[in-house]
Amino acid sequence: LRILYILPSTHPTRPLPRKRGTPTRLLIVLGSGGHTAEMLLLLRKLDISLYTTRSYIISEGDDFSARRAIEFEAQLGSVEDTFDISTVPRARKIHQPLLTTPISALRCLLGCFLVLGYASRGGGEVRPLKYPDLVLTNGPGTAVCIILACLALRFFGVRGTKGTMRTVYVESWARVKGLSLSGKLLVRLVDRFLVQWEGLQAIGGRSEFLGVLV
C-alpha cells in the first residue's frame, strides 16, 4: 500500500506553494551527446531567479556534458556556488553484456542516492544540500536510477524529502512513433511525463503533449 501511495500514477500530488525568491534546487540529468544537447535546448530560457541552485548529474567519463553544462551556466550569467556538477557510475556502458548490467546499474543507483543530498565541489569535496525540489530528465540510462532513488527516499519517508523531488520526464524529440526504453520504464513512475509528438500522447495513459519543446 505504501508503494501505491507514493507512485505518481496512482496518487498524484501537487507541488507545495512557494513564495517568489524562495531558494529552489533544480536537478538536471545529462546524458552523452544528443540527450545533453536536447536538455540544454529545453533549458535555454531558464529563469535562474526561480531556480536558484542547479545541480547537474553526469555519468563517469562524460566530459562533453560537463563542459556543455559549464558553458551553459556561463551563458546564463551564473555566479559562483549557484550550480554544481556531480558524477555517478554509468548505469550501462556501450556494448556492455546484459549479464553484468544489473551490477553496474546498482552502482549507479547508489551513486544517485549520494548526489540527491550532496553536491560536488572542486578537488573532490562534497557539501550537503537540501533535496532537489524538481528533478528533470530526458531519457539517458542514468535517469532510471535517479528516479528510482527519489521513489525510494519517498517510500522510507527520509527527513527533508516531504514536498520535494517532483520528477519530470521529457521524451526525446527523436521519439516519433514510440517511447524509448527509459520512457517505457518511467512513464508510471514520474510526476509528469511529457512527449513532443502528438501521436505519443495516448501511450502509457499519462503522456502530456505540450508541443515541440526543443
Side-chain angles (χ1 to χ4, degrees):
L1 292 178
R2 174 66 177 168
I3 293 177
L4 293 176
Y5 180 78
I6 65 169
L7 286 179
S9 58
T10 58
H11 191 266
T13 59
R14 292 181 176 273
L16 296 176
R18 297 178 183 277
K19 292 182 179 179
R20 188 176 181 85
T22 301
T24 304
R25 183 186 177 200
L26 170 64
L27 189 145
I28 303 156
V29 183
L30 298 180
S32 302
H35 287 298
T36 290
E38 281 196 23
M39 178 59 75
L40 297 182
L41 280 173
L42 182 67
L43 294 172
R44 61 190 181 278
K45 295 183 179 179
L46 180 70
D47 187 346
I48 59 176
S49 68
L50 296 178
Y51 299 99
T52 51
T53 302
R54 281 84 56 206
S55 296
Y56 297 88
I57 293 183
I58 63 173
S59 297
E60 285 178 339
D62 189 4
D63 296 331
F64 169 81
S65 293
R67 290 195 304 270
R68 289 298 305 275
I70 293 172
E71 292 169 359
F72 176 72
E73 285 289 333
Q75 293 171 5
L76 292 177
S78 302
V79 297
E80 189 177 359
D81 285 340
T82 59
F83 79 97
D84 56 82
I85 302 173
S86 298
T87 303
V88 297
R90 284 190 177 272
R92 183 173 185 264
K93 297 179 181 179
I94 299 175
H95 305 309
Q96 180 180 346
L98 291 176
L99 186 64
T100 59
T101 296
I103 298 174
S104 59
L106 180 59
R107 289 182 62 238
C108 180
L109 179 63
L110 294 175
C112 289
F113 280 115
L114 178 63
V115 300
L116 282 171
Y118 290 83
S120 297
R121 302 191 73 177
E125 180 189 357
V126 295
R127 55 178 174 141
L129 285 177
K130 68 168 190 157
Y131 289 103
D133 299 282
L134 179 66
V135 176
L136 181 63
T137 182
N138 65 343
T142 307
V144 177
C145 293
I146 198 72
I147 298 301
L148 290 178
C150 290
L151 287 174
L153 292 171
R154 287 185 189 179
F155 177 82
F156 290 107
V158 175
R159 184 178 179 182
T161 60
K162 185 177 181 181
T164 65
M165 294 187 296
R166 287 184 61 81
T167 52
V168 176
Y169 180 98
V170 182
E171 186 58 282
S172 171
W173 176 83
R175 290 292 171 171
V176 179
K177 296 183 178 180
L179 302 181
S180 63
L181 177 58
S182 295
K184 292 175 182 177
L185 293 173
L186 296 176
V187 66
R188 296 192 175 277
L189 302 182
V190 293
D191 289 290
R192 296 189 67 181
F193 190 96
L194 309 181
V195 295
Q196 302 190 63
W197 293 94
E198 193 170 5
L200 298 179
Q201 189 169 8
I203 295 180
R206 301 187 67 238
S207 304
E208 302 176 53
F209 172 66
L210 302 180
V212 176
L213 302 175
V214 298

